[in-house]
Amino acid sequence: MTIRGKDFYLDGKPWLPKGIKVEAFNRPLGNYESDALQKLAREARAYWGASEMDAIRNVFGGRIIRFAVSQPGLDPQSPIYSPAYRDELLKVFKQARDA
C-alpha cells in the first residue's frame, strides 16, 4: 500500500480502504470508573477474537482495522496508566496483523 497525495494505491492500482473501527479496547480495565463502565468494557472485549476478525474480512469486506485506544491509559504520566493495558493492546494488535 502506498499513498500519493491524497490517494491510496494497492499493488500500484488506486484503492479505497475499507474497514472497521473497534471500540472494545478504548479504555484500560481498572478501578477508576464505575462498575457499570467496567462491565461494558469487559463485555466489549469478550466479543473480540478470530471470529470477529473473520467477519471484518469476509462479511464486511474490510481490510483495515482502526482501534480506539486510551491515550491516558498508555501515558506513564497519567493516573490511569496501565502496563497491563499496554500489553493487552500489543497482543490484540499482533493478533490482528497475523490474521
Side-chain angles (χ1 to χ4, degrees), residues 16-82:
L16 180 62
K18 184 176 180 184
I20 300 287
K21 179 181 178 188
V22 174
E23 292 279 347
F25 303 94
N26 66 359
R27 59 174 41 91
L29 297 175
N31 60 8
Y32 68 95
E33 291 183 317
S34 70
D35 289 341
L37 287 175
Q38 285 296 293
K39 181 182 178 198
L40 288 173
R42 284 186 183 86
E43 288 173 355
R45 282 165 164 80
Y47 288 110
W48 182 255
S51 61
E52 177 95 0
M53 288 183 280
D54 186 59
I56 290 168
R57 182 184 315 110
N58 297 314
V59 175
F60 298 109
R63 296 190 62 186
I64 304 292
I65 298 175
R66 177 181 173 208
F67 290 96
V69 300
S70 168
Q71 290 180 340
L74 296 170
D75 180 0
Q77 303 299 314
S78 169
I80 68 165
Y81 168 69
S82 169

Side-chain angles (χ1 to χ4, degrees), residues 3-24:
I3 301 173
R4 285 185 241 145
K6 61 179 179 58
D7 299 317
F8 290 80
Y9 293 84
L10 184 63
D11 300 325
K13 298 176 183 151
W15 177 59
L16 180 62
K18 184 176 180 184
I20 300 287
K21 179 181 178 188
V22 174
E23 292 279 347

